[in-house]
Structure formats: structure tokens, C-alpha cells
Amino acid sequence: FAKSPTIEDGVLLVGTDSSFAPFEFLAEDGKNFTGFDMDLIRAIGKELGYKVVVQNMGFDATVPALRTGIVDAVIAGMTINEKRKKFVDFSDPYYTSGLIIMVPSSDTTTKSIKDLEGKKIGAQVGTTGMFRAEKVPGAKVVTFANAAETFLEFQNGGVDAVIQDFPVVAYYVAQGGNKGRLVGPKMEAEEYGIAVTKGNKELVAQINKALASLKKSGEFQRIYKKWFGE
Ligand code: GLN
């Protein structure tokens, strides 16, 4: 095998799970990764003088990939939480998120998470949505490898509801996933951060510096507006 490129070579290896629109997904050409996170990490790379090389993997593989040094950083709509902080370090938060329930539009009775008790809930493995679903009394939680598979099963009527990150569900519905109805309110104020291998203080500092400078120049706001509007 050829030796993987390293930071010393000016290459930042970034792990992501590319089925998480609008944060990371495959562009229509079927080759390039696009989305808010992708634009952001490329802008950060540019600030720091790194060539960004994105490696696609399952979301549940991203933390192990950092721990074994397969990638330098992970940007994957990853929620900063205490559990993950035991294994990885995080940049400053870059996006405020939260969870939402989605039920089929034909379900006109579900009004809150209480109504999901004893129901079949679909969630993506290893995510905060899955952990939230597991707390619903009597619920059967069915997990899927990624958001796209979760939505597919939802469309096929295989689950009564989905619990997933609000912006991802909202994007899915806006893109014509019109079999879904959102049940508010948003749960669990969450913030996304860029994760790096635990102890890599230098890279965290570099990323935070780049984030701050992108905010100062207005480039961050431009990218935000491109994907989320106002
Ligand atoms: N924000 C959620 C989490 O961190 C989901 C992330 C994802 O599926 N890419 O668990």
C-alpha cells in the first residue's frame, strides 16, 4: 500500500458519512461530496493551507477512524456531547441543531413523543436520535446504517416514526419526502463540532482559528446562507 498522505504533506484527511443531506451528500455527478459541512471543511482547509481529502464511511465508524488515525478530522453533523468527548476532541461549535420526530402524513393523531410509546421507531445507528428513541417507554427501535436508509424504510411504511436531526428531516421533507409530517417541538438542543483525534490540540486550535477567521470575513455566513437561507 502507498503510505497515506499526512498533515505534514499538506493533506487533511477528513472522514464523513455522505448520506446526511444537506450537510454531506453525493452531488448529482455521483462523484463529489457536497453540502454545508463539505463547503465548510474545504474553506477551513483553504484558510490553513491544507488540501482536504474526504473519506466516506459509516457514521458509527467515524470515531473509531479518528482513534486509529485513519483520518485527521471528522465533519459529519456530529453532535458534541460528553460521551464522545471521552474519545475525541471537538472544535468550537459551528451549527446549532436538535432532534425532531417525523411520522407518516397519514398519521394525524401523533402529537408528541408520548404518543410514540410502544411504537416502532426508526433511527440511524449510533446517533443521538437513536439514543433518544431508546428512552421512549416500550418502543421498538429499529436502526439503520444511515439517514438515507432510515428514510427509505420510513417511506416503505416499515416504521411508525423516525427520530433524526431536525435540519436533515426538514431537508428530506422539503425535497419531496412528502409522506412525512414533522411533530414538534425540537428536542435536545445540540451543537455540531468538528472532531479530531483525542489530544491533537494543535489541530483543534488551527480549526478554531480558521472558523473564527471565516466568520470574521463573512465566508462562513455565505456558506450558511447557501444551504439554509437566512
Ligand atoms: N447529530 C447526530 C449525532 O451526532 C447525527 C449525525 C449523523 O448521523 N451524521 O449523533
Side-chain angles (χ1 to χ4, degrees):
F1 291 104
K3 191 177 152 293
S4 295
T6 61
I7 287 214
E8 288 73 34
D9 304 328
V11 171
L12 186 69
L13 286 173
V14 177
T16 198
D17 165 10
S18 73
S19 66
F20 205 62
F23 294 91
E24 38 268 332
F25 58 107
L26 217 44
E28 266 161 32
D29 65 8
K31 277 184 267 178
N32 286 305
F33 300 116
T34 186
F36 176 72
D37 282 355
M38 297 296 99
D39 282 353
L40 183 59
I41 197 68
R42 285 179 189 128
I44 288 171
K46 204 169 162 202
E47 274 300 304
L48 299 171
Y50 293 133
K51 177 175 161 25
V52 171
V53 175
V54 176
Q55 299 218 359
N56 192 22
M57 57 186 72
F59 182 74
D60 59 339
T62 54
V63 167
L66 282 173
R67 298 186 76 189
T68 52
I70 291 171
V71 293
D72 302 306
V74 164
I75 189 161
M78 187 182 280
T79 303
I80 301 171
N81 64 29
E82 291 309 314
K83 209 168 133 202
R84 290 178 181 146
K85 275 190 197 166
K86 286 189 197 135
F87 305 110
V88 297
D89 286 335
F90 282 102
S91 71
D92 292 336
Y94 67 86
Y95 183 89
T96 301
S97 193
L99 299 173
I100 196 79
I101 298 165
M102 176 170 61
V103 297
S105 329
S106 56
D107 168 355
T108 53
T109 54
T110 301
K111 288 191 179 62
S112 76
I113 192 140
K114 278 223 91 297
D115 299 318
L116 296 186
E117 292 181 9
K119 297 271 181 71
K120 206 168 172 185
I121 308 174
Q124 182 188 344
V125 70
T127 63
T128 49
M130 179 191 91
F131 295 120
R132 186 63 193 86
E134 284 173 345
K135 285 192 208 148
V136 178
K140 181 176 186 319
V141 181
V142 192
T143 59
F144 300 94
N146 55 50
E149 283 180 27
T150 313
F151 291 148
L152 193 65
E153 187 65 9
F154 172 82
Q155 262 178 18
N156 293 340
V159 292
D160 300 313
V162 162
I163 301 181
Q164 178 66 280
D165 293 42
F166 172 77
V168 173
V169 174
Y171 187 85
Y172 163 78
V173 171
Q175 294 300 302
N178 57 2
K179 286 182 174 170
R181 174 173 73 84
L182 273 54
V183 179
K186 256 203 269 183
M187 303 176 282
E188 325 272 332
E190 296 187 3
E191 303 229 77
Y192 294 166
I194 298 165
V196 306
T197 304
K198 188 139 190 76
N200 194 347
K201 293 203 169 59
E202 195 187 327
L203 185 55
V204 172
Q206 287 181 353
I207 290 173
N208 286 342
K209 204 175 134 217
L211 266 175
S213 125
L214 291 170
K215 283 190 176 168
K216 206 168 161 217
S217 71
E219 178 66 2
F220 180 92
Q221 292 79 351
R222 194 192 63 75
I223 297 171
Y224 189 97
K225 208 169 159 193
K226 173 179 166 191
W227 292 103
F228 303 108
E230 285 314 305

